[in-house]
Amino acid sequence: MSGGGLLVAGTTSDAGKSVVTAGICRWLVRRGVKVAPFKAQNMSLNSFVTREGAEIGRAQAMQAQACRVEPTALMNPVLLKPGGEQSSQVVLLGKPVGELSARGYHGGRQQKLLGTVLDCLAELRGTYDAVICEGAGSPAEINLRRTDIVNMGIARNAGLPVLVVGDIDRGGVFASFFGTVALLSPEDQALVAGFLVNKFRGDVSLLEPGLDMLHGLTGRSTYGVLPFRHGLGIDEEDGLRVSLRGTVRESAVNPPVGEDVLRVAVCAIPLMSNFTDVDALAAEPGVVVRFVDRPEELADADLVVIPGTRGTVRALEWLRERGLADALVRRAAEGRPILGICGGFQILGEHIEDEVESRQGHVEGLGVLPVRVRFAREKTLTRPVGEALGEHVEGYEIHHGVADVSGGETFLDGCRVGQTWGTHWHGSLESDGFRRAFLREVAAAAGRRFVPAPDTSFAALREEQLDRLGDLIEQHADTDALWRLIESGAPQGLPFIPPGAPA
């Protein structure tokens, strides 16, 4: 017998689908339900490598952690990694299968993947008591409905009830809820069970008349009103939306343990991927992380991070155009700390041979590290374990570039020259002992009286955030009604709201 299921859709992108899905997962697992997350198709530059060597979206890896299960490729069978305005790499069941334009993907390839997606969902539902699915964008994108495999397309084929999440902090949530339903076909509308209000500030009693009117207009209930909470935006899908002036997280900053703070500048390169690598730095008391795009912003930084990217050559060109490349070379010569991760590591090398990603052939790097990079068609997807600075380190690798290191000190399968460090390992800074040892080196080189907190556990902080998401659902949603949806499906006899989907 198949397990229960639910599709968490949204009125818009960034309505809060990912965190609501994670919250529902954590609430369910705490009540003893064996639960798994699922997202049929994810478009993201933030990805993760499972233990079997499959690449999936980081949001689904985070949701698997909320479920207290190991993430697998079944949980995100299709991953699209943008390579520019017009095309994306298609990752199917954890392995890249080619590049496609948006027109080519939506023009036929996407619908052909529906069978694979449904098979993955069926396998999960056969294994777990419940599968909580996350939609993408809005289910009412009428231009894409015919080929949809992630919103109402999968809900219809798998018989999933749909909960629509709306971000009230943006305004217009009632119109968005009503309009979302009214633009769906009668068959799709029959599965839309109701709504969940996200990011509400204020007195809920002032909202209740509107919720009653919404019920009168649509015949559908609101399953909860989640209050606005800072610091819950964990592992977002899209690094392209990161504010260049913003901090990494909105959570409260603890005072430094030592006398000084440590300033970290992250170069906001194009197609930035896995920017979540710096979350572990931002979690350290006294470490201030910001994204920068001008050379003068590197001047007061104690550490500069060049993160991963889906366009290494394009990012290199961008650094040169902005004057950041010269600033980085000067910084390296002065012995001031730089950390390059994945694409950032490749940029710091001597040259790049790329006939795969940019197809520009031979490209000169910054020449800071004794490394030559050749892009291979086969993608490296591994979960390495090692040691650096006398500490145990774990990470994951996602890259086409193969690095030939010809000098320097060995550093996480990359190298170090002076205070310039380079590695293909994502996630290494989540290893607490290594992160503290690395920050002590950076502080000494920068002349800062910064002391890493002795007890910061990144894994514990992540668990704390996931529990906070579970608490939001448990305390502010109608959990009995939610469980009935998951177990029994959408209520019968939900009214049709005209005009419905266009013919």
Side-chain angles (χ1 to χ4, degrees), residues 375-398:
F375 274 69
R377 297 200 177 277
E378 185 88 8
K379 181 183 277 193
T380 297
L381 296 167
T382 63
R383 290 272 292 269
V385 176
E387 186 175 295
L389 302 178
E391 299 286 347
H392 177 78
V393 190
E394 297 183 17
Y396 56 99
E397 294 186 50
I398 306 169

Side-chain angles (χ1 to χ4, degrees), residues 102-164:
R103 181 183 293 273
Y105 184 68
H106 291 288
R109 180 63 189 268
Q110 182 182 34
Q111 201 167 27
K112 291 177 182 176
L113 296 174
L114 179 61
T116 300
V117 162
L118 290 171
D119 287 346
C120 291
L121 177 57
E123 187 170 341
L124 288 173
R125 293 182 78 181
T127 306
Y128 291 88
D129 301 329
V131 178
I132 308 303
C133 308
E134 179 188 342
S138 160
E141 290 167 345
I142 54 180
N143 57 315
L144 302 176
R145 177 61 185 91
R146 183 178 61 83
T147 58
D148 170 50
I149 65 169
V150 65
N151 291 307
M152 299 313 300
I154 194 167
R156 281 271 292 281
N157 278 280
L160 295 172
V162 179
L163 183 70
V164 180

Side-chain angles (χ1 to χ4, degrees), residues 269-431:
I269 54 180
L271 296 174
M272 181 168 44
S273 63
N274 287 69
F275 67 93
T276 47
D277 280 334
V278 298
D279 284 358
L281 295 178
E284 282 286 348
V287 175
V288 181
V289 178
R290 66 182 190 272
F291 290 90
V292 303
D293 62 347
R294 297 195 298 257
E296 57 269 25
E297 293 176 298
L298 304 187
D300 68 343
D302 302 308
L303 170 67
V304 173
V305 177
I306 313 174
T309 172
R310 252 281 282 154
T312 300
V313 170
R314 180 177 167 190
L316 188 51
E317 291 169 349
W318 182 87
L319 289 168
R320 287 182 168 129
E321 290 165 3
R322 296 269 175 156
L324 283 158
D326 289 340
L328 287 166
V329 171
R330 286 195 302 272
R331 182 181 181 89
E334 292 165 1
R336 303 180 65 200
I338 301 171
L339 172 63
I341 302 173
C342 201
F345 167 42
Q346 296 164 8
I347 283 167
L348 291 169
E350 294 169 358
H351 70 247
I352 297 165
E353 295 290 342
D354 183 11
E355 299 293 350
V356 175
E357 197 173 75
S358 70
R359 299 189 179 126
Q360 289 193 30
H362 184 92
V363 178
E364 292 297 318
L366 298 187
V368 173
L369 291 177
V371 177
R372 297 178 179 183
V373 176
R374 175 185 54 83
F375 274 69
R377 297 200 177 277
E378 185 88 8
K379 181 183 277 193
T380 297
L381 296 167
T382 63
R383 290 272 292 269
V385 176
E387 186 175 295
L389 302 178
E391 299 286 347
H392 177 78
V393 190
E394 297 183 17
Y396 56 99
E397 294 186 50
I398 306 169
H399 54 91
H400 284 280
V402 178
D404 177 17
V405 179
S406 58
E409 299 176 48
T410 300
F411 172 67
L412 299 180
D413 293 342
C415 70
R416 169 192 183 182
V417 173
Q419 287 300 319
T420 301
W421 318 62
T423 178
H424 273 133
W425 291 25
H426 294 290
S428 63
L429 294 166
E430 295 178 18
S431 297

